[in-house]
Amino acid sequence: MKGFIFDLDGVICSTDEYHYEAWKVLAKKLGVSFSRMDNNRQRGVSRMESLEVLLEKSEKLFTEDEKVTLADYKNKIYQSLLNNMGEKDLSYEVKDTLDRLREKGYKLAIGSSSRNAKIILEKIGLDNYFDAVSDGNNITKSKPDPEVFIKAAEYMNIPCEQCYVVEDAKSGVEAAIAGGFKTIAVGDAIKYKIAEYNLNSFQELLKIV
Ligand code: BG6
Ligand code: MG
């Protein structure tokens, strides 16, 4: 194995919680219920697909233009939460594990559905750290389609089957399986038991390699 492709939100840092907070504000404004379970279904999928999950509970129907306005509203709230982030939001455990994988000779990439990935990487001090970043800005289909990971592998010049994908989203593990990657689940994704490895902590990656 030559490379690692990491999801960002909920794997490298806890921005998944900020997504949850921001969607909750929108749900309240629309008067629809919104739970952790709903939020777990938003993991890995694009902003507009995440909005559709939230709108399933709404009796009102929205036009495409109105949906774009709602998604923009959520993104503004989300970005204001990101503003408070800094290097403190990258844990020692994650940074140390990444450094050790690199020392072992692995190439490291990001494979994220987010269009905010670059802002987040800057905030936590990891801009220019990864060998490649594939995110919501360079894909046409989001997870569970494997496109984002295939692009990341291409950017690193490594065949998909020689890369591990690390994911906290069910859709992300499904995407990695579809793309022929070796799959590693952390966080919410471990309960589905569909990945090859299901880890209780990020540093357990070092036990695999
Ligand atoms: C993924 C999150 O990383 O990015 C999803 O898991 C989110 O929940 C998606 O919808 C898109 O994020 P953004 O930052 O482009 O709105
Ligand atoms: Mg994630």
Side-chain angles (χ1 to χ4, degrees), residues 7-9 16 19 23 39 42-48 50 74-75 78 112-117 120 136 143 168-169:
D7 172 51
L8 180 63
D9 300 322
D16 52 333
H19 278 296
W23 285 121
N39 177 239
Q42 295 174 316
R43 288 179 191 272
V45 304
S46 69
R47 191 179 306 164
M48 294 309 286
S50 290
K74 179 266 173 178
N75 193 47
Y78 178 63
S112 165
S113 302
S114 173
R115 305 185 76 172
N116 290 298
I120 296 166
K143 303 165 189 175
D168 72 312

Side-chain angles (χ1 to χ4, degrees), residues 134-147:
S134 173
D135 64 23
N137 298 301
N138 63 252
I139 54 171
T140 55
K141 288 163 268 167
S142 86
K143 303 165 189 175
D145 189 281
E147 183 182 9

Side-chain angles (χ1 to χ4, degrees), residues 166-183:
V166 186
E167 261 294 347
D168 72 312
K170 182 170 183 257
S171 64
V173 177
E174 288 167 347
I177 293 169
F181 297 86
K182 280 220 176 275
T183 55

